[in-house]
Amino acid sequence: QDQLQQKIICPGPVTCLTASPNGLYILAGVAESIYLWEVSNGNLLAILNRHYQDLTCLCFTDDSSHFLSGAKDCLALVWNLYNVLQAEPSQIPDPRHVWSRHSLPITDLCCGFGGPLARAATASLDQTAKLWEISSGELLLSVLFDVGIMAVTLDLSEYHMFCGGMDGSIFQVDLCAWPVQRDRTFQTERENGKVFKGHRNQVTCLSVSTDGSLLLSGSHDETVRLWDIQSKQCLKTMNHKGPVTNAFIVLAPANMFNPDGKPSMPLPKFSKHLHGTESSDEPGTEGVTLRLGLHQQEPGQSYLEKAERMYSQMYLTREKNLVGDQEHLTIQVSELEEEVSNLRKINKDLFNFSARIITNPAK
């Protein structure tokens, strides 16, 4: 029987949730806000409020350097994780890109491979799926369907984009089709060979296997289906007792079939308050933690502030030496010359005293 490892109480109903591929951070959408936790200690690192309506989807890039957020306000935002971590607690960092080309709520997001150079796909109720470039923020492709799109994913080679519709259909869009067009219309009657048919209600999630041969789909018709992409045939149907909201294909962990397998490190309790505030200091949370960002610095000046202050002092000293106050330098030189003269006199007296003792033996 599965054991509950940790129960995390959130500030409100969670509408979307994701973890960074490197396992260090967890993102959750609660109403209009994005909450960022650090997994190793449970600290709440940031609360981002840049959406105007409830969050619907979140996803990380494969290198965990960026994450994307979509909401009912029709906006998809691209965030640089390290800019978020470096931001002052009193400031809300700006997203790297704001994509506002959808006219109805965003329903799903998907990121390809390549970290900050990757391409990302967005799906919306406005019956379009769009492909973007994260580095430049440019729109690469917009495909118009005859139904609202609820789910989107890319295969590993990024030759195809799969889109799940509200009517239960799954559409396969060729990204390498010729001629290249930024705006395309997917006409179902002409492309029957590129439609997966079987679900009786809206498709909520899609996932492609690592070899690119299988497609997994979940739907509100209470089933999960496994498809052969080449033939568009349904290989397996798994029934559930309610609408399927999420399903994806992952590599099996090493201890999956070990009945005694347990997590090597238990999860700490996740904080309800931003790290650094008085409310977040809870007793009994001792330990050694390695972190990044200004929010983890000691009270007082941050590292960046100290570095800037030291640089300004060095610059002022160099400026004084180059341009500086000649009278002040003259006084310093005269004081040093006087001190050297005194030291020479003391050294001479010591030498004479030692010489007399050596040349005049005791009687």
Side-chain angles (χ1 to χ4, degrees):
Q1 185 178 359
D2 294 336
Q3 293 183 355
L4 179 65
Q5 184 182 355
Q6 180 61 264
K7 183 177 181 180
I8 301 171
I9 306 298
C10 294
V14 176
T15 57
C16 48
L17 182 72
T18 189
S20 61
N22 59 18
L24 299 180
Y25 303 99
I26 283 182
L27 285 173
V30 179
E32 303 168 3
S33 303
I34 303 172
Y35 285 73
L36 173 65
W37 281 283
E38 190 173 13
V39 175
S40 62
N41 52 27
N43 285 337
L44 178 59
L45 305 183
I47 302 176
L48 307 175
N49 297 290
R50 286 300 298 265
H51 283 285
Y52 304 104
Q53 294 187 32
D54 290 356
L55 270 291
T56 57
C57 44
L58 291 164
C59 73
F60 272 95
T61 55
D62 60 325
D63 66 344
S64 304
S65 66
H66 291 72
F67 62 90
L68 284 69
S69 61
K72 292 181 179 180
D73 58 6
C74 314
L75 297 179
L77 307 182
V78 180
W79 303 84
N80 185 315
L81 176 62
Y82 303 110
N83 285 347
V84 172
L85 294 177
Q86 291 286 348
E88 294 283 354
S90 59
Q91 296 178 347
I92 300 177
D94 293 324
R96 181 173 178 180
H97 300 299
V98 177
W99 294 334
S100 57
R101 300 290 290 271
H102 286 289
S103 57
L104 286 175
I106 306 286
T107 54
D108 198 15
L109 291 167
C110 175
C111 240
F113 282 89
L117 302 178
R119 297 185 293 180
T122 58
S124 172
L125 292 178
D126 63 7
Q127 301 185 358
T128 66
K130 300 182 187 295
L131 192 67
W132 310 80
E133 187 176 55
I134 291 180
S135 58
S136 65
E138 291 185 2
L139 176 63
L140 303 178
L141 175 67
S142 178
V143 184
L144 176 64
F145 300 88
D146 53 7
V147 295
I149 303 301
M150 302 299 298
V152 65
T153 192
L154 301 166
D155 62 355
L156 294 186
S157 60
E158 298 186 19
Y159 283 163
H160 305 292
M161 179 170 65
F162 299 93
C163 306
M166 293 191 68
D167 63 349
S169 301
I170 303 171
F171 310 100
Q172 177 181 314
V173 179
D174 295 333
L175 300 180
C176 300
W178 188 264
V180 177
Q181 295 175 314
R182 176 168 292 186
D183 295 295
R184 291 160 55 180
T185 300
F186 190 95
Q187 298 178 345
T188 306
E189 62 276 5
R190 293 184 182 180
E191 304 190 58
N192 284 327
K194 298 178 181 178
V195 180
F196 300 79
K197 296 182 179 179
H199 285 297
R200 301 182 304 276
N201 205 333
Q202 66 183 34
V203 177
T204 56
C205 49
L206 295 168
S207 180
V208 180
S209 62
T210 53
D211 62 357
S213 64
L214 301 175
L215 174 68
L216 185 75
S217 63
S219 170
H220 276 189
D221 64 5
E222 304 184 358
T223 65
V224 171
R225 291 176 180 262
L226 191 64
W227 308 83
D228 177 70
I229 292 178
Q230 186 68 27
S231 65
K232 308 295 184 295
Q233 296 297 313
C234 180
L235 304 178
K236 188 175 183 180
T237 301
M238 292 157 276
N239 296 309
H240 290 72
K241 296 181 180 180
V244 177
T245 57
N246 203 0
F248 52 91
I249 299 174
V250 294
L251 296 175
N255 64 344
M256 179 177 178
F257 300 105
N258 181 9
D260 299 326
K262 296 181 179 179
S264 58
M265 182 179 297
L267 283 174
K269 291 184 178 180
F270 278 27
S271 175
K272 300 179 184 178
H273 306 280
L274 278 174
H275 180 65
T277 61
E278 294 180 359
S279 303
S280 63
D281 298 330
E282 299 176 358
T285 56
E286 299 179 356
V288 178
T289 307
L290 180 64
R291 314 186 196 95
L292 297 173
L294 288 182
H295 55 273
Q296 291 122 345
Q297 298 294 337
E298 294 293 330
Q301 285 188 321
S302 68
Y303 171 78
L304 294 179
E305 291 171 339
K306 290 180 181 178
E308 185 177 357
R309 181 173 56 83
M310 291 177 63
Y311 176 78
S312 62
Q313 288 178 348
M314 292 170 60
Y315 181 79
L316 289 174
T317 302
R318 184 179 64 177
E319 189 177 33
K320 282 184 179 180
N321 289 335
L322 295 176
V323 180
D325 189 347
Q326 294 297 329
E327 183 180 354
H328 179 68
L329 291 177
T330 303
I331 294 174
Q332 280 189 328
V333 169
S334 62
E335 289 177 350
L336 291 174
E337 287 178 346
E338 183 179 356
E339 186 175 357
V340 169
S341 177
N342 290 334
L343 290 174
R344 282 179 176 174
K345 183 177 182 301
I346 294 172
N347 186 49
K348 185 177 180 180
D349 292 342
L350 286 173
F351 176 78
N352 292 334
F353 177 74
S354 302
R356 284 197 302 271
I357 293 178
I358 295 173
T359 55
N360 297 321
K363 295 181 180 179

